[in-house]
Amino acid sequence: MPNWQNRFVEFCNNLVIDSKDYGLTPLRFFGTQRKLVNEIAGGLENDIRHFVVLKGRQLGMSTVGLSLDLFWAQLHAGLQGAIITDTDGNREYFRSILQGYHDNLPKKYRVSMVGHNRTQMMLSNRSRLVYLVAGTKKSGGLGRGKGLNYLHATEMSSWGDEEGLQSLQATLSGKSPDRLYLYESTARGFNLFYDMWTTAKKATTQKAIFIGWWLKEEYCWPEDSQVYQVYWDGKLTSRERDWVHKIKVMYDYDIVPGQIAWYRHQLAEVQLDDEMMMMQEFPATEDEAFVQGGAQFFSTQRLTAAMRLAV
């Protein structure tokens, strides 16, 4: 394990987060978060600094991403970084989370903060993280006038400005030994993020990372639970057999009955049997994530296949 990764795990073990399920609690990695950190570490070992992360909902990606933002800024003096959200509301939300992370760190793991407002966080080691908002409409000015060697861009499927992304890419350092660029998002159809994902899949200096819901330990009902008894009947549907097989082939992961019970419960009682929304929010594979809907007369699978062929 690289030295920075050991230090990051130790840093996170001393980080207090405000969990929606457990309140204030130390950060302990889910399988989804371990997967992301391990993939980034593996990429950096091969001098890959550009990561495109395709994720499902509620997998802890924002939590570990913001933890990495603060850690990387503290680790590398003089870092010039940016956190880019899709909306002003999410910018303020992320800013408040980072403030809480910093305030609750033991002094041993904390570099003092010399300023923090709605535009940037400044640390005493000369590192700064600026807050930018991509927005959902075209502007073309994202990142202009700023030279960056660290970037965390989130929910890119909601961005509406390809020109702004190109402007942003032009600000990034290609030489800094501390550079790291993280782009993460749910899919939400064939859009700007889909183009980034397909590019990263083929690139030699980028890495595409898929984070499946099945890596999160909590998304599995125990055998003695009522949900397990109701939703696991001992056999898979034809569609379930298909994605269970694909997960094994593509990721060498074995789905267990408790996860099938979780998936069925989520589909029936949370997503109200909307398969397209379930595939979008909790995709089983990277191919399933980019779904295309919009007509009650055609199946999601056929529309997606047709759209993928057209693209």
Side-chain angles (χ1 to χ4, degrees):
M1 184 181 291
N3 182 53
W4 77 264
Q5 190 178 2
N6 283 319
R7 294 176 65 179
F8 180 56
V9 172
E10 182 180 356
F11 174 85
C12 289
N13 287 339
N14 287 274
L15 196 66
V16 176
I17 65 171
D18 198 352
S19 166
K20 69 174 184 178
D21 294 318
Y22 308 110
L24 288 174
T25 180
L27 174 57
R28 297 291 182 265
F29 285 165
F30 293 119
T32 50
Q33 296 165 319
R34 285 193 299 273
K35 169 73 171 176
L36 178 63
V37 174
N38 288 338
E39 289 286 346
I40 291 174
L44 291 176
E45 285 288 288
N46 293 297
D47 201 33
I48 293 173
R49 307 303 182 104
H50 184 125
F51 301 90
V52 179
V53 182
L54 172 60
K55 63 180 185 177
R57 293 290 304 276
Q58 301 299 311
L59 300 182
M61 294 298 99
S62 294
T63 298
V64 73
L66 290 169
S67 304
L68 184 61
D69 297 341
L70 182 57
F71 172 81
W72 210 256
Q74 294 194 157
L75 181 65
H76 301 290
L79 191 78
Q80 301 300 305
I83 298 172
I84 309 179
T85 61
D86 53 338
T87 64
D88 291 299
N90 280 336
R91 175 195 60 194
E92 290 303 301
Y93 177 60
F94 278 17
R95 185 168 72 91
S96 66
I97 290 176
L98 278 173
Q99 185 69 54
Y101 284 179
H102 186 271
D103 290 348
N104 289 312
L105 273 171
K107 288 185 177 180
K108 177 182 176 181
Y109 300 97
R110 185 175 65 210
V111 173
S112 60
M113 190 181 293
V114 297
H116 195 199
N117 52 46
R118 65 194 305 270
T119 62
Q120 63 183 332
M121 171 190 288
M122 296 168 288
L123 301 179
S124 61
N125 66 352
R126 299 180 293 104
S127 289
R128 71 177 66 219
L129 294 172
V130 298
Y131 297 108
L132 301 175
V133 177
T136 56
K137 298 180 181 180
K138 290 188 176 182
S139 65
L142 187 62
R144 288 192 183 277
K146 297 177 177 63
L148 303 173
N149 53 17
Y150 181 87
L151 178 68
H152 176 192
T154 183
E155 290 306 334
M156 299 192 67
S157 61
S158 297
W159 293 18
D161 194 355
E162 288 191 37
E163 184 181 341
L165 177 61
Q166 293 169 349
S167 170
L168 172 68
Q169 303 278 28
T171 70
L172 305 181
S173 169
K175 296 182 178 180
S176 170
D178 303 329
R179 68 191 187 280
L180 174 60
Y181 309 121
L182 179 65
Y183 306 81
E184 45 96 352
S185 184
T186 50
R188 300 185 65 192
F190 298 93
N191 48 37
L192 173 66
F193 185 67
Y194 174 77
D195 295 338
M196 293 189 64
W197 173 259
T198 54
T199 297
K201 290 286 289 183
K202 297 179 290 185
T204 57
T205 59
Q206 301 181 26
K207 189 173 187 178
I209 304 170
F210 173 68
I211 307 294
W213 62 264
W214 30 268
L215 285 170
K216 188 171 182 178
E217 296 85 348
E218 291 189 348
Y219 289 169
C220 181
W221 285 100
E223 292 184 12
D224 59 354
S225 66
Q226 183 181 11
V227 171
Y228 184 97
Q229 300 299 323
V230 170
Y231 284 97
W232 175 242
D233 56 4
K235 55 183 181 294
L236 300 174
T237 66
S238 59
R239 201 182 96 73
E240 288 167 348
R241 281 196 299 273
D242 179 57
W243 59 256
V244 166
H245 173 70
K246 287 180 179 176
I247 289 172
K248 178 61 177 177
V249 170
M250 297 172 71
Y251 312 108
D252 193 25
Y253 185 93
D254 295 302
I255 296 293
V256 299
Q259 292 173 303
I260 299 295
W262 177 88
Y263 187 90
R264 291 176 177 178
H265 172 263
Q266 183 76 15
L267 175 61
E269 299 191 20
V270 180
Q271 302 298 341
L272 305 179
D273 286 321
D274 187 336
E275 284 199 6
M276 187 187 76
M277 186 59 66
M278 188 68 183
M279 291 165 67
Q280 176 179 286
E281 303 293 86
F282 298 97
T285 69
E286 59 201 66
D287 292 335
E288 187 178 275
F290 296 98
V291 298
Q292 180 72 22
Q296 59 181 323
F297 304 108
F298 303 97
S299 72
T300 295
Q301 290 87 346
R302 301 188 82 177
L303 284 167
T304 299
M307 185 63 179
R308 195 182 302 279
L309 179 62
V311 169

